[in-house]
Each structure stands twice: as structure tokens, then as C-alpha cells.
Amino acid sequence: MATIGERMAKRRWTVWTGWIAACLLMLLLLGALGAWLFLRASLAQLDGARTAPGLRAAVSIERDDMGVPLIRGRDRLDLAYATGFVHAQERYFQMDLLRRTAAGELAELFGPRALPLDRARRLHRFRARAQQSLALLAPQERAFVDRYVAGVNDGLGALKARPFEYLLAGAAPQAWRAEDSLLAVWAMYIDLQGSQEGRELARGWLREHSDASQLAFLLPEASRWDAPLDGALHAAPPEAPLPPAPPAWWGRRPQAPAQLALASNAFVDAVGSNNYAIAGSRSSSGAAIVADDMHLGLQLPNIWYRLALLYQDEQGVQRRLAGVTLPGAPPLVIAGSNGHVAWGFTNSYADTVDLVEVGVDAARPHEVRTPAGWERVIERVETIAVKGASGERLAVRETSLGPLRAAGGRQYAVHWVAHQPQAVNLNHLKLETAETLDAALAIANTDGIPAQNFVGGDRAGNIGWTIAGMLPRRAHPGAEHSFPLAAGAAAPGWQGLLAPQDYPRVVNPLDGQITTANSRQLAGPGAALLGDGGFDLGQRNAQLADRVHRLGPRTDVAHAFQAALDDRARFIALWRERVLAVLDPAATAGQPRRAEFRRLLETSWNGRADVDSVGYRLARNTMWALHDILFAGVNEELARLDPKASMGSANPRWPAVLVRLLDTQPAGWLPPGQKTWRDLQLAAVDRVIADFDKEGMALAQATWGQRNTATITHPIALAVPSLAGWLGMPPDQLPGDAHMPRVAGPKFGQSERMTVSPGREEEGLYNMPGGQSGHPLSPWFRRGHAEWVKGTPLPLLPGVARHTLVLQP
């Protein structure tokens, strides 16, 4: 038996253990409380009043229950300040990432792991270019940017604690500068045109390893699915003849086993955006209807910040603007309506980058030979700050055509429109006061943004298309500029920028509609002015045009909105029919997995990229399995040149090539190991089955939704995965896919949906993934996301004010 002393000692130990546990629990609770209070302190101020230096008059910021502000003020400069204040309070970390992405300054925040990306960005020296472009702004434009910058820094300073992301990153936010706002626009150049270098390198390799007839067949200028805006006036280019034999690399197996993984496992078709306009002759109100859904990579917070602005212009006219802004960029309404004109964008995929091979000579180490002759290379040293490590010095070698980069043992000058001083300007601001479609089209042609399909309409019912943004002026426009220029070329691919009066336009077509979707816009002479920077297949635009046509002779905003949600699988339906044809009784006899494959194609199919459809996924994967059998080997080779070089980047219309081969079934084009085209298609089916077997997934469970599940999260969650649930959206299964208007992938899709008639903004409709705020404790962090998933439209304009903050001089 224990003695009395032993029992007392045990009791004391128990008491002390309890006290220690209680203290530890208290410390944990205090720590959690402290973290919560810190997070709360970094929330935006929503109500009350505060003094704002430099304002000419009071500005009110009225937020509705979605967190969408209506900003009222006396003039546009005051609203620029207030917009900066709101952007900083809700989205500062997002803004910081944009400027750092363009400038190559991510390693300063995230450490050495960001160095590869920073090195690639520093090649372009966009911060130095931003400073040069800033000096070119007119005084009133510079004042506009400066007022925004002042609002940003005051908004950041007004937070009671730094934005929570900096606590997790162990860093402090740096003040915003005027050139940072221009860098945010260059970040969009990188996003929208940054793949063109890899595309040119891929096409250059294919040119060197294929004869002229093979190249013309494999890299067609157009496809049967194109729906150009001038298609009624001009015939499409004829299809190239099918050569008797393929190139030597055709169907070659990759050397690395990892390259055998089915490409359809990853969302590789990250191309999508739609905009369309319906003329007043077909609208119930007589005003044009403009719809826009720009597809981008998706994360939290969403790239766009929705708002409405109300002010008086210099002539004393009351102006109301509604649409989306890009936090960090100059505070312009990127897409929206000004009451007279509405507008939206899709990426044009114009050819804006040339790789010009330069000659080198060991005897002339500081010179290179360009089309203009030998010239001295200017070497500039960029210092990359690295968190937790010493800074890295990077030598950037520049020529008159652009910076030099190496690929495949050669040196190329990167001749990119984005390097021009005029690449970023504030002409977009003029759209806010445009009162007619013609005025808006003229402004768009001078806009300092990446070249976009601009679709607009006015309250009188006129509709039109043109290119907004900078286009290169080519002495000899043509498809040859989609390849690198060889050393010794007589002239660079382009010199200077295309004059605004030379931009192509389409205005008030007879059918009363305009649609664009990243594919070939024109079949006539204007096509050569744009070039081909990677046009999409064309099926999506054809389907969109058909869907808009089906709206009939009279329609309205609510019905027009639905066209962007079209997930009919018209393209994959063709592949499904092909697979069903080869899975005949002879192919399924003694093959239970093939028989099940066929049964699911027949029974789990409703003609859409539906989340419950197994048949859609199987048909789609079969197309991609054929892609991999034929192109995996060459993709491995191309990736050695550039991570973005592939057959898909060289020719996004590669499915059109496969369709022609399956239609004609030329024996000479069968890849090694295949005796017939039927055998090849069955091999693709077997490969899809084997791929699911490796995953341990039964075919009946392989729904499209199981694969197309959203993973939309905050960038911080990538560094701290344990926070993904807190900093992410629900793992919703998403309908839609490539080659249909509702393009959707786990991290890619419609970054906004907007449909509006100018002058009738109260009827306008809107959706976007995520909410207005980038703060997880904000009520607006996720507000509106569920409606985006379901495709349930919300009003474009802010609703009744729930919170009002007044900024006073």
C-alpha cells in the first residue's frame, strides 16, 4: 500500500499537471484570440468618416450586402483616390503580387523558390520600362495615377494591422508607387501573351523537322470550325493537301516514363473567353446588349473588383460607370458600361512576339548580328532581392530588337510589343466618356493594353468589333511570322506599331450579332494584320454564334446572359460517335472493360459536359489519348526548348488534324506499332481504361465532375496547404469544358460574367468566382461564389447601401 506521503505527492503531481494543462490551454486560447484580433484589425473600414488629404470634396463609399461599392464624388480625380483606398483595404496583397510578378520581385517575398520565375521576368526589365512609360503620360494622366497611388497608400496605412498575408509570409508591405500601377498592366501582358515565345520555338523546331507539305498540314491556318466575323464576305483558306507520309518524329514514344501519363489528367486547354453583342434591332429595348466573360486562371481573391462610380465630368455632366476594375492597375473600368456605351474583351491571340535569331562570333563577344547588321549588346545588371538569402545579380543583354534569350543552343532577340514605351497608356480612360460606338472603337484602337477583341454596343443599338491594344506593324504580314526569324533575315518581323486608322473593324453586321472566342476573327485581308498568336480551334465561337442566333429576333439581357452558360458538348459528341463506331461487337467480344466503356458512352451521356456524365469524360479522354500516342514524344523534345513549347502551343487546332486523319485514314500516317486506324482508336480506348486502373477508379465512377472539381484558393494556401480549407472555395464539381462557351477547369474559367445594355444598367447581370474581399474574415470573402457556380445571375449595379464610409477633405 502507498504511504500517506506517497498519496499526497501523487495528489500534488495531479494538481500541478492539471494547472500546467490549464495554463497551456489558456496560452493556446490567448494565442488564438490574439491571431483572431490581429486578423480582425486588418479588415477594411466600412463605416464612419475619415480625413483624406488632397480631396477636393467629400467622397462616399456605399457598400451593399455583396460588398460592392458605389463611390460618389465631385470629380474623377477624387474617385481615383477613393478607388485606391478601397482597393488597398480589400486587395493589397493581390496588388503586390501583380507588381512583383511583372517586375520579377517575388523572391523578395517568398525566398529562393521564386527565383526561376523572377529570372524569367527580369529579362524584360518591366520596372524600368514602367518608369519610362510613366514619364510619357500627359500631366492630367499622371495626376490621375498619383491620386490613385495616394489613395492606395492611405488605405493601407488606415488598416489597424498589416494585411494578414504578410504576417504568414513574415514580411511587411511596401508602399505603392506610380510605376507599380503600370506594372499591373504588364502582368496582364505576361498572362495573355507570355506563351508566344514557347509557341514560336515549337513551330521553329517543327519547321526544321518537317517538310513544307507536312508543316502546312500539321499547322493549318484555319479549321472547318471557324466562324469569322467576315465569313459571309470572304472564303476561308483552303485546307492543305494531305502529304503521303508524316515526319520522322510522328508517333515517336517519349523516353521518360512520366511523359506516358495521359495529358487529359491535367487541364491543358486553358484557353477561353467569350464576348458578344446583340444589335438594338434584335433587343426588346432597342439598345445594344453586350455580354462578356473573360476566362483566366482562378484564385482568391478574384482578379476583378466590381464597383460603380458616380461623378460630374469637366463639363458638369453627371456620369455613372459600372463594371470591373483591376486592383493595382490605374483605376479604370476595364469592362462595363458608361450609360452610353458598353464594352467587353476577349484575348485576341494576335501575333505580337517575334523571336529573331541573332548571329554570334567568338571574335566579337560584345556584339550580335541582327537583320540591321552587327550591333553592340548593352548589358544591364539586375539585382534580385531574395528573402533569407543574399541577393542575386542577373546580367540582361539587350539589343535594338529586345533582350536576348537562349534556346536550343541559339540566341534570340525577343521582339515583343510589350517592350514598346506605348505598350501601356491611359487612353482606356477615354472610354468612360465615349457616347457612341464609333467613338469607343476609335479609342479602343489606341488603348495601351495587350491586344484584345473589343466588342461594344451603344444605347442607339449599334454594335461593333475591333482590336483594342497595341498591334505590330509588319511590312509583309503573313503566317511566316508565327515562326522564329532565322539568323541573317533581311528585316525584323515588324517595325513600330500599327496606326490606329489601319485597325480592322466590323460594325453592324446584317445578322445583328457579333461573337468572339479567341479563335480566328477574320477570313479577309484584315486577318494578316493580326497574325496568329495561337488561335483556338473555333468550335467554341461557332457554338456561341449559334446560341446567340437562337435567341431569336427579339431578346433581352436575361436571355442573353444564358448564352455564356452553354455547356453543350457538340465537339466531343463527334468523338463519342467515332468511339462507338469502333467499339463494335468484334472489338468488345471477350473484352468486358471495352464493353463497359461502350455501355457508359451510351447510357451516361446527355450531350453536355455535365458533372454526372461518365460518357463525356470517356469520349474526351479518348481524344486526348490519341493526342498522347501521336505527340507525347515530340512534346518531350519541345519541352527542352521551353516549358511552354508543345504541339498544343504550336497548333491549338491539333484536334482538326486528327479529325482529317480519321476521316481519310491514310495508311502512311499510322504511327509505329499500329496496323490500322481502327487499331489505333482501340489502343486509345485501352489506354484510357488503363489510366483509370492506375488511379484505382472504376469506369462507372469516372464522372466529369469527379475530374472537373474546383480548387480555387488563396496563393498563401499554396505555401501553407493546411490553410487551404480556410482560404479556399468549396470543391464544387463544375460543368463545362473547352470547345464550348462555358469553359471550366479546376483552376481556370469565367473570371466574370457580365451582360448589360448601355443606359439600362439596372437590368445588367453579373457573376464572378469568389467575393469582393480578399480577407477570409470579411463577410464578402465568398459572397456570390455559389451563384457563380450555379450560373445564377446577380444584379450588375450595387444594391441598397448597408455600410457607408465618407472620406472628407
Side-chain angles (χ1 to χ4, degrees):
M1 291 182 63
T3 65
I4 293 175
E6 289 172 336
R7 289 198 298 272
M8 291 180 65
K10 183 176 181 180
R11 188 177 298 116
R12 284 194 297 269
W13 174 251
T14 301
V15 171
W16 276 107
T17 302
W19 273 104
I20 292 171
C23 288
L24 289 174
L25 179 60
M26 183 63 68
L27 288 173
L28 287 174
L29 290 174
L30 287 173
L33 178 62
W36 184 82
L37 289 174
F38 181 89
L39 287 172
R40 291 283 303 173
S42 60
L43 282 168
Q45 181 179 351
L46 306 180
D47 297 289
R50 63 180 306 115
T51 301
L55 285 184
R56 302 183 187 186
V59 177
S60 65
I61 302 169
E62 304 167 11
R63 289 177 170 92
D64 67 3
D65 57 6
M66 301 292 295
V68 181
L70 169 61
I71 305 178
R72 303 173 186 261
R74 193 180 79 176
D75 62 28
R76 194 63 179 88
L77 287 179
D78 282 354
L79 266 59
Y81 175 93
T83 304
F85 188 94
V86 169
H87 280 173
Q89 292 229 313
E90 300 276 22
R91 302 285 194 90
Y92 194 78
F93 187 73
Q94 172 195 5
M95 297 163 59
D96 195 7
L97 290 187
L98 275 179
R99 66 174 171 181
R100 290 179 181 275
T101 294
E105 297 169 355
L106 290 168
E108 186 177 12
L109 196 59
F110 298 111
R113 61 184 169 176
L115 274 172
L117 190 58
D118 279 358
R119 294 183 190 116
R121 300 291 185 259
R122 286 296 180 100
L123 177 73
H124 304 286
R125 301 182 65 247
F126 281 133
R127 181 167 289 283
R129 297 184 194 280
Q131 291 166 348
Q132 295 169 2
S133 294
L134 200 65
L136 298 177
L137 295 181
Q140 65 271 26
E141 294 174 333
R142 179 59 193 264
F144 182 77
V145 174
D146 287 343
R147 290 308 294 152
Y148 177 72
V149 170
V152 168
N153 288 323
D154 287 351
L156 179 64
L159 294 173
K160 297 177 181 178
R162 57 185 163 166
F164 78 95
E165 296 96 338
Y166 295 98
L167 173 66
L168 296 173
Q174 297 179 2
W176 199 256
R177 291 176 282 180
E179 64 262 29
D180 294 336
S181 288
L182 303 191
L183 283 169
V185 182
W186 264 296
M188 298 307 296
Y189 270 98
I190 292 169
D191 192 12
L192 299 172
Q193 298 179 356
S195 63
Q196 290 193 23
E197 290 179 51
R199 168 180 164 81
E200 291 227 345
L201 289 169
R203 291 170 71 87
W205 188 95
L206 292 171
R207 180 174 60 186
E208 293 178 353
H209 295 82
S210 312
D211 66 33
S213 63
Q214 293 165 345
L215 196 70
F217 172 72
L218 292 167
L219 304 180
E221 294 183 37
S223 79
R224 69 182 71 172
W225 289 277
D226 288 334
L229 296 171
D230 60 351
L233 302 175
H234 302 281
E239 291 184 329
L242 177 62
W249 53 263
W250 179 257
R252 183 184 299 165
R253 288 175 60 85
Q255 296 177 359
Q259 293 292 327
L260 291 172
L262 194 60
S264 58
N265 286 340
F267 191 80
V268 294
D269 268 1
V271 174
S273 281
N274 312 295
N275 61 4
Y276 46 103
I278 300 169
S281 59
R282 288 180 53 192
S283 78
S284 57
S285 69
I289 300 173
V290 175
D292 185 49
D293 54 287
M294 298 177 280
H295 289 61
L296 294 166
L298 303 179
Q299 61 181 21
L300 296 180
N302 185 36
I303 188 170
W304 309 118
Y305 186 84
R306 179 161 57 116
L307 51 64
L309 304 174
L310 195 62
Y311 71 102
Q312 285 188 350
D313 65 16
E314 295 177 354
Q315 286 72 42
V317 177
Q318 189 81 355
R319 297 282 183 181
R320 183 179 67 178
L321 304 167
V324 296
T325 58
L326 175 61
L332 313 166
V333 174
I334 304 298
S337 178
N338 68 11
H340 298 274
V341 179
W343 64 91
F345 298 105
T346 64
N347 196 14
S348 69
Y349 285 90
D351 184 6
T352 59
V353 178
D354 282 350
L355 292 182
V356 183
E357 185 181 353
V358 297
V360 296
D361 186 337
R364 308 173 80 161
H366 303 296
E367 295 180 82
V368 295
R369 181 164 52 86
T370 71
W374 288 93
E375 67 173 70
R376 188 170 184 83
V377 174
I378 299 173
E379 185 168 301
R380 306 182 191 276
V381 176
E382 294 276 309
T383 301
I384 305 175
V386 183
K387 179 185 174 184
S390 300
E392 179 175 293
R393 291 168 61 84
L394 178 71
V396 176
R397 304 174 69 226
E398 291 190 318
T399 71
S400 59
L401 296 177
L404 295 175
R405 66 160 292 179
R410 299 173 180 175
Q411 289 285 325
Y412 296 94
V414 182
H415 199 200
W416 186 10
V417 164
H419 296 152
Q420 296 293 298
Q422 310 95 315
V424 177
N425 62 41
L426 263 64
N427 287 340
H428 193 95
L429 185 62
K430 300 174 184 177
L431 282 172
E432 297 185 356
T433 55
E435 298 195 357
T436 66
L437 173 69
D438 286 343
L441 295 174
I443 294 165
N445 297 152
T446 69
D447 208 345
I449 60 174
Q452 300 290 291
N453 290 310
F454 176 96
V455 167
D458 63 24
R459 63 191 304 167
N462 300 297
I463 59 173
W465 164 89
T466 189
I467 294 295
M470 300 294 107
L471 289 173
R473 185 183 74 246
R474 299 186 182 278
H476 304 287
E480 69 274 9
H481 296 296
S482 295
F483 299 89
L485 273 70
W494 58 272
Q495 292 177 305
L497 299 175
L498 188 67
Q501 63 269 22
D502 294 333
Y503 278 53
R505 291 185 186 180
V506 173
V507 178
N508 289 333
L510 293 177
D511 59 358
Q513 68 178 57
I514 288 174
T515 64
T516 81
N518 311 121
S519 53
R520 185 183 177 98
Q521 308 95 330
L522 300 172
L529 297 174
L530 308 184
D532 180 357
F535 290 144
D536 199 16
L537 178 66
Q539 164 61 31
R540 177 159 48 89
N541 189 42
Q543 185 166 326
L544 178 64
D546 172 72
R547 182 70 176 79
V548 174
H549 176 75
R550 289 170 181 265
L551 292 173
R554 282 289 183 272
T555 191
D556 56 23
V557 166
H559 288 91
F561 181 90
Q562 297 300 316
L565 301 174
D566 184 359
D567 59 3
R568 291 175 295 161
R570 294 173 62 174
F571 184 69
I572 294 300
L574 302 175
W575 289 90
R576 172 178 174 268
E577 292 171 5
R578 291 182 186 279
V579 179
L580 286 172
V582 298
L583 285 175
D584 54 20
T588 56
Q591 296 279 351
R593 302 302 303 283
R594 288 182 180 176
E596 183 185 13
F597 198 103
R598 179 185 174 90
R599 179 181 63 80
L600 290 168
L601 280 174
E602 292 176 324
T603 61
S604 185
W605 170 267
N606 63 1
R608 298 181 178 276
D610 189 81
V611 295
D612 296 323
S613 176
V614 175
Y616 177 83
R617 188 176 181 185
L618 297 183
R620 179 192 193 273
N621 281 21
T622 303
M623 178 187 74
W624 275 101
L626 280 169
H627 166 280
D628 294 347
I629 291 171
L630 297 173
F631 301 133
V634 71
N635 280 344
E636 181 183 54
E637 188 72 31
L638 294 174
R640 297 190 181 103
L641 295 174
D642 187 281
K644 294 183 179 180
S646 67
M647 190 65 194
S649 65
N651 176 23
R653 299 180 288 276
W654 61 264
V657 173
L658 298 193
V659 167
R660 285 194 66 190
L661 290 172
L662 292 173
D663 284 346
T664 55
Q665 301 196 2
W669 280 75
L670 281 167
Q674 302 297 331
K675 296 181 179 179
T676 68
W677 286 94
R678 181 175 183 276
D679 289 345
L680 174 62
Q681 293 175 81
L682 288 174
V685 169
D686 292 340
R687 183 166 181 175
V688 173
I689 294 171
D691 188 67
F692 284 121
D693 288 344
K694 290 177 184 177
E695 294 182 23
M697 180 177 295
L699 289 181
Q701 297 174 347
T703 64
W704 177 239
Q706 188 277 334
R707 181 259 187 223
N708 207 40
T709 300
T711 54
I712 304 171
T713 190
H714 193 289
I716 285 292
L718 301 177
V720 189
S722 60
L723 298 178
W726 183 53
L727 292 176
M729 290 296 146
D732 298 296
Q733 295 189 352
L734 303 174
D737 191 17
H739 307 311
M740 60 189 68
R742 193 173 188 170
V743 177
K747 298 181 181 180
F748 183 87
Q750 293 169 322
S751 65
E752 50 78 44
R753 303 182 190 115
M754 179 187 69
T755 307
V756 62
S757 283
R760 306 176 68 89
E761 288 75 18
E762 287 77 9
E763 301 170 2
L765 299 174
Y766 186 82
N767 275 152
M768 76 177 191
Q772 285 283 103
S773 176
H775 198 300
L777 294 187
S778 168
W780 305 312
F781 183 61
R782 295 183 174 89
R783 189 75 59 84
H785 180 79
E787 287 79 3
W788 174 82
V789 171
K790 298 174 185 176
T792 303
L794 297 170
L796 172 65
L797 290 179
V800 176
R802 304 298 183 188
H803 302 273
T804 301
L805 174 66
V806 177
L807 304 179
Q808 299 173 337

